[in-house]
Each structure stands twice: as C-alpha cells, then as structure tokens.
Amino acid sequence: MNRREAISQVSWILGGTIIGSSLFLEFGCSSSPAQKPVFFDQKTVDLLNEIGETILPKTSTPGAKEAQVGLFMDIMVNDCYTKEHQLIFQDGIKSLEAEIKAKSGKSFLDSTAQERTDLLIKLDAEQKAYTETKTPEDPPHYFRMMKELTLLGFFTSEIGSTKALRYVETPGSFDGDVPYKKGDRAWANA
C-alpha cells in the first residue's frame, strides 16, 4: 500500500473528516514532487547539472544529472554555506562561464562535451595547485566546492547509492573481511 492509498483509507475510516483530503492527496502525495530551486534560478541549476554530468557522466550507471545534483547544490549552498562561501560559489559560476566563453565563444551549456571536459580538467588542476598552497584562512576554490558537492550529491542520492554502489537494503551482520575483486563497486552506507 502506498501513502496515497493509506491516507485515502484513513480518511474513509474517519468518515471523510480530513478537511481537503482530496486536495491534500492530489498535491501532497504526488509520486514525484516538483522541486524548485531556492537559491539559484532554474538556468543556473541546469548549468550545475551539466557541470556535474561532466564530472560524473552517464556510463553503464546513471550520471550526476539523473541524480539532480544541481538541485542538491542549490539546497546545500542555500542551507549550509556561509554568505562568504555563497559568494565564492556564485562568482565561481560566473568565472567558469567567462572562461569557457573566452576560449570557445560559447556558454558552458552550448559547448561540446570535449570543450566542457577540457575546461573542467584545467579548473581541477588549478584548484589542486591552489589547495596545496593555501593557508587555513584562505577561502576554498570554487571548483573544489562544485566537485565536492557533485560527488556528495550523487553518492548520497538514491540513484548513486543503489545504481553506482553496491547496495543492500537490509544488511545482515558485520563482515569486515569481504573479498574484493578488481572492478567491484564500492559499498553504499545504508
């Protein structure tokens, strides 16, 4: 029984006393609620999805876009980042767009997969060099923030933890000596 059926039956048992139950069922129990960005606009979330997909593309497993990492980043930047880090992230998006326009004459979304990959490889090398020399007081590099949120958003999503990682819904006892064969996927933390 799904949630919609359960609420409908409870409403029937109570003699229909749940006010607006049909409206509640129609909007409150939809199988895939429409999520809207809270910090960025939809165009920026689409851009973040494409950045995430370039970092973790779809292969034999789903990619970052299918896990909606853009919306995840939107929520994390809004809810968990300081104003300073929010500004770094926003300026980083502008910087990323300016850099690809200077190189290809196109926006990130209009660029080819190879142009996107080339830019992100360059930014990744840049953030690694920056991270190695920065002091604890220095702010983080924006691309490191994007990459970390992409990985966190993907591997903690249902798609990432069930399709890209090995997942056991109800694990048994702890076994600290599970044989590993080359090519096995990592285990999801459930």
Side-chain angles (χ1 to χ4, degrees), residues 84-85 88 130 133-141:
E84 176 191 7
H85 288 163
I88 291 168
Y130 173 80
T133 60
K134 82 178 199 75
T135 65
E137 297 80 32
D138 291 335
H141 192 281

Side-chain angles (χ1 to χ4, degrees), residues 51-66 117 154:
I51 292 168
E53 188 71 16
T54 305
I55 294 168
L56 286 173
K58 180 178 182 174
T59 57
S60 60
T61 60
K65 191 171 16 176
E66 289 178 70
T117 300
F154 180 75

